[in-house]
């Protein structure tokens, strides 16, 4: 079960790395709440990147602004490995 979950997370990261255009980040003041499990997380600012090659071409990846740099580094790393989490 754990291996399946890790494969699914890896596949998601590969898909995000493939479709996210990291050069086009925007910072937005949003001030909304997101339910995660039994908690509610308050997001004040988010970074968004366009995903022009994803289905419809209008998707955007949004992350908390505090994590923008680490998410961009992770996706760049995956792109640099040929788009694979396990190379």
């Amino acid at each position: 079960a754990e291996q399946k979950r890790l494969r699914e997370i890896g596949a998601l990261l590969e898909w995000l790395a493939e479709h996210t255009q990291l050069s086009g980040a925007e910072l937005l003041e949003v001030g909304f709440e997101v339910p995660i499990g039994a908690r509610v997380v308050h997001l004040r600012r988010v970074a968004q990147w366009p995903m022009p090659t994803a289905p419809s071409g209008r998707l955007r990846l949004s992350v908390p602004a505090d994590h923008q740099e680490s998410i961009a580094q992770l996706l760049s790393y995956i792109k640099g490995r040929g788009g694979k989490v396990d190379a």
Side-chain angles (χ1 to χ4, degrees), residues 7-87:
R7 282 193 306 274
E8 290 172 351
I9 291 170
L12 172 62
L13 289 171
E14 290 170 357
W15 189 87
L16 289 172
E18 176 185 349
H19 295 291
T20 303
Q21 182 181 329
L22 295 173
S23 62
E26 292 183 51
L27 286 176
L28 304 168
E29 298 286 336
V30 293
F32 60 81
E33 299 176 347
V34 178
I36 298 178
R39 304 180 320 155
V40 174
V41 175
H42 301 276
L43 294 176
R44 289 171 184 77
R45 292 179 30 179
V46 297
Q48 283 191 338
W49 292 281
M51 300 178 76
T53 60
S56 87
R58 298 183 313 179
L59 294 178
R60 299 181 72 75
L61 173 61
S62 300
V63 300
D66 292 343
H67 299 287
Q68 175 184 0
E69 186 175 330
S70 60
I71 297 297
Q73 287 175 350
L74 174 62
L75 296 178
S76 291
Y77 177 77
I78 294 168
K79 284 183 185 209
R81 291 177 52 118
K84 297 294 180 191
V85 171
D86 291 319

